[in-house]
Amino acid sequence: MDRKNCSFESRITTTNHPLTRKLFEIMANKKTNLCVAADVTTTEELVSLADKVGPHICLLKTHIDILTNFSQDTIDKLRDLAAKHNFLLFEDRKFGDIGSTVANQYSGGAYKIVEWADLVTVHGLPGDGVIKGLVSAINGRTRGCVLVSQMSSSGALTSEEYVENCSKMAENHTYFVVGFVSQSSKSGDPRFILFTPGVRLGKTGDGLGQQYVTPRSAILERGADIIIVGRGITQASDPVAAAKEYREEAFDAYQERIKH
Ligand code: 6AU
């Protein structure tokens, strides 16, 4: 059973991870495999964007530490909107330190990420202590992580060997790892979700190393399950219309892929 030929519905039963199952259910029911990267800098912009694009997304990805006015109110509002529109919260913290340090970064500090983010990003670089550290901070909550195995930026040091080692790490920690942030599909395992950033229509880069492909190319050529789109939506003159456009293009490409 190759991940790329399977519908999201049929992949639900391949995993025991409650958040992987939930995400497949949301994608299948809402008919969306779009994640918006909400890289905005105030709570007001974040909340307003989440409410507007909420009907079109399966996941809202945050960089909570770029907000200039973060407070508990930010989280309360995000959680309400996630329930209202049925999407998950995905904090792109990219944890990348020893287990003991990431446990503190996950549960403590100003953001207390473990209390509100369903999913977080993690670098495999430190070895699997990074995963064990995060898991030690969960305290019975339903949480998961996505391993960043390959980056979209030019000159990224994520070699083929690194990508393969991240796949092995995921296989050893399926109770926590939901999938990969990656530019290509190394694993055909239907349990793992492939999240692909660096997606934008009408642009090939941002002048600061980011490299873009279209939603169709991410899904049909690279094997993405979920596309992550930031500025293509947040900086569009009409972000809701842009979200609809990316959503439709991405879901059509997914449907085309599973037909073959
Ligand atoms: O569409 P953009 O270029 O405006 O935003 C892309 C988003 C940003 C990055 O932090 C993130 O995707 N990202 C990641 C993630 C999700 O981990 C990995 C990567 O390789 N490239 C990338 O752009 O919020």
Side-chain angles (χ1 to χ4, degrees), residues 47-208:
V47 168
S48 156
L49 179 70
D51 200 15
K52 282 192 216 146
V53 301
H56 304 293
I57 61 175
C58 56
L59 270 179
L60 183 79
K61 190 177 80 62
T62 52
H63 278 302
I64 209 71
D65 58 356
I66 66 175
L67 292 179
T68 53
N69 59 348
F70 171 84
S71 72
Q72 184 57 40
D73 183 51
T74 315
I75 297 311
D76 294 343
K77 287 184 168 143
L78 282 184
R79 287 232 63 102
D80 285 350
L81 289 170
K84 174 180 168 192
H85 296 297
N86 195 25
F87 59 76
L88 299 183
L89 295 176
F90 182 19
E91 165 55 22
D92 191 5
R93 174 62 181 77
K94 295 193 180 72
F95 291 102
D97 213 319
I98 59 167
S100 158
T101 301
V102 298
N104 288 326
Q105 291 172 322
Y106 193 22
S107 60
Y111 305 113
K112 299 185 177 55
I113 295 166
V114 75
E115 292 183 8
W116 55 270
D118 300 294
L119 300 174
V120 292
T121 46
V122 181
H123 283 300
L125 185 74
D128 68 0
V130 69
I131 293 177
K132 291 175 183 160
L134 292 173
V135 169
S136 77
I138 285 174
N139 247 332
R141 297 178 183 89
T142 303
R143 296 289 179 256
C145 83
V146 182
L147 268 174
V148 182
S149 65
Q150 193 181 33
M151 292 203 67
S152 59
S153 40
S154 100
L157 303 180
T158 45
S159 64
E160 292 287 305
E161 193 189 354
Y162 184 82
V163 176
E164 256 154 51
N165 286 331
C166 284
S167 294
K168 284 184 202 143
M169 199 182 283
E171 274 154 30
N172 291 332
H173 299 281
T174 51
Y175 56 93
F176 192 55
V177 181
V178 159
F180 307 98
V181 167
S182 189
Q183 293 298 306
S184 60
S185 146
K186 289 288 163 217
S187 171
D189 190 328
R191 290 175 298 181
F192 295 127
I193 300 177
L194 180 63
F195 304 73
T196 300
V199 174
R200 192 157 178 180
L201 291 162
K203 269 200 176 223
T204 55
D206 69 353
L208 289 174

